[in-house]
Amino acid sequence: MKNYSLIVIAFLFSVGTMAQNRGSVVLDVYGSYTFSNRVNFDYGHATINDGVEYGAGLEFFPQKSSSIEFKYLRIDTGMPLYEPNGKQVNAGDDKGAINYVLLGGNRYFENGTNVVPYLGGGIGFGIIETPQSGNDTNFAWELKGGVKIKTPSVVSISLQASLQSMVIHTGYDNYWGYWGPVSVATYAYTYQFGLGAVIGFNFK
């Protein structure tokens, strides 16, 4: 039994040394705490409350120090909507969710140790789910940075900070121009800052 355990440990160590090599595919499991964010509109504002964001993604390494990443993230939270006078419009019915589908990548700064800093980002779309308005799909982007901690196995742990944003079309403002009335699209922007961890499972 002892010899069998030594063989298993040796195998995991040998696989772990290949982690993040060229051609590696890593399954990433995400979990983070996102902080609340106020979103201003022309006639009032909304608040995206804080909450836990979770999800999963796949990371492919065409090179050892860079990766291409496709992932899905979700946060279930309250989204109260207020009129300019401070009255909540959707009291008792403000639960919702935000889903992110992002394609991007990471750049790792190898330094010869098992603690590797990295920066990354992505673009895609965010889907807002609310009981009153249904689903609304918007352009989204993300910036992130952190450190990846390698272990002598197929598992790695990353600690990271992230900033995610959506561009939400809120309607039109009408102006009277030289040639007559002109409609200009208006937008609101969300900014969700989060701190969390990523557990990676290397399949190669």
Side-chain angles (χ1 to χ4, degrees), residues 103-196:
L103 177 65
N106 298 306
R107 169 65 176 172
Y108 294 88
F109 302 94
E110 295 285 348
N111 53 20
T113 71
N114 289 332
V115 180
V116 183
Y118 67 90
L119 295 173
I123 60 172
F125 56 89
I127 304 170
I128 302 177
E129 302 176 11
T130 59
Q132 295 184 348
S133 303
N135 296 348
D136 182 35
T137 302
N138 307 278
F139 172 77
W141 56 264
E142 176 189 51
L143 293 175
K144 60 180 179 176
V147 292
K148 183 172 185 175
I149 304 170
K150 300 179 183 179
T151 68
S153 71
V154 296
V155 179
S156 63
I157 300 173
S158 299
L159 304 177
Q160 72 173 27
S162 63
L163 177 64
Q164 295 155 348
S165 176
M166 281 187 296
V167 182
I168 304 171
H169 179 226
T170 58
Y172 295 89
D173 284 338
N174 297 315
Y175 303 94
W176 190 265
Y178 181 79
W179 300 104
V182 177
S183 294
V184 179
T186 58
Y187 297 90
Y189 304 89
T190 66
Y191 297 98
Q192 291 182 277
F193 178 73
L195 295 173

Side-chain angles (χ1 to χ4, degrees), residues 8-199:
V8 171
I9 292 172
F11 171 75
L12 290 176
F13 183 83
S14 65
V15 175
T17 58
M18 295 189 300
Q20 203 173 295
N21 282 345
R22 181 177 180 179
S24 293
V25 178
V26 178
L27 170 64
D28 291 323
V29 179
Y30 302 88
S32 64
Y33 182 84
T34 60
F35 297 88
S36 62
N37 170 228
R38 174 172 170 149
V39 184
N40 293 310
F41 304 100
D42 284 346
Y43 303 102
H45 72 275
T47 299
I48 301 175
N49 292 339
D50 52 355
V52 176
E53 185 179 70
Y54 57 93
L58 287 175
E59 195 174 4
F60 171 70
F61 287 81
Q63 301 293 334
K64 182 177 180 180
S65 59
S66 60
S67 70
I68 299 171
E69 182 181 36
F70 178 76
K71 65 182 177 182
Y72 165 77
L73 301 171
R74 178 182 174 91
I75 175 173
D76 297 280
T77 187
M79 289 183 274
L81 178 64
Y82 299 94
E83 294 178 345
N85 60 10
K87 179 182 178 181
Q88 184 175 346
V89 177
N90 57 349
D93 194 23
D94 61 3
K95 297 299 182 183
I98 297 177
N99 305 273
Y100 289 103
V101 180
L102 299 169
L103 177 65
N106 298 306
R107 169 65 176 172
Y108 294 88
F109 302 94
E110 295 285 348
N111 53 20
T113 71
N114 289 332
V115 180
V116 183
Y118 67 90
L119 295 173
I123 60 172
F125 56 89
I127 304 170
I128 302 177
E129 302 176 11
T130 59
Q132 295 184 348
S133 303
N135 296 348
D136 182 35
T137 302
N138 307 278
F139 172 77
W141 56 264
E142 176 189 51
L143 293 175
K144 60 180 179 176
V147 292
K148 183 172 185 175
I149 304 170
K150 300 179 183 179
T151 68
S153 71
V154 296
V155 179
S156 63
I157 300 173
S158 299
L159 304 177
Q160 72 173 27
S162 63
L163 177 64
Q164 295 155 348
S165 176
M166 281 187 296
V167 182
I168 304 171
H169 179 226
T170 58
Y172 295 89
D173 284 338
N174 297 315
Y175 303 94
W176 190 265
Y178 181 79
W179 300 104
V182 177
S183 294
V184 179
T186 58
Y187 297 90
Y189 304 89
T190 66
Y191 297 98
Q192 291 182 277
F193 178 73
L195 295 173
V198 185
I199 300 177

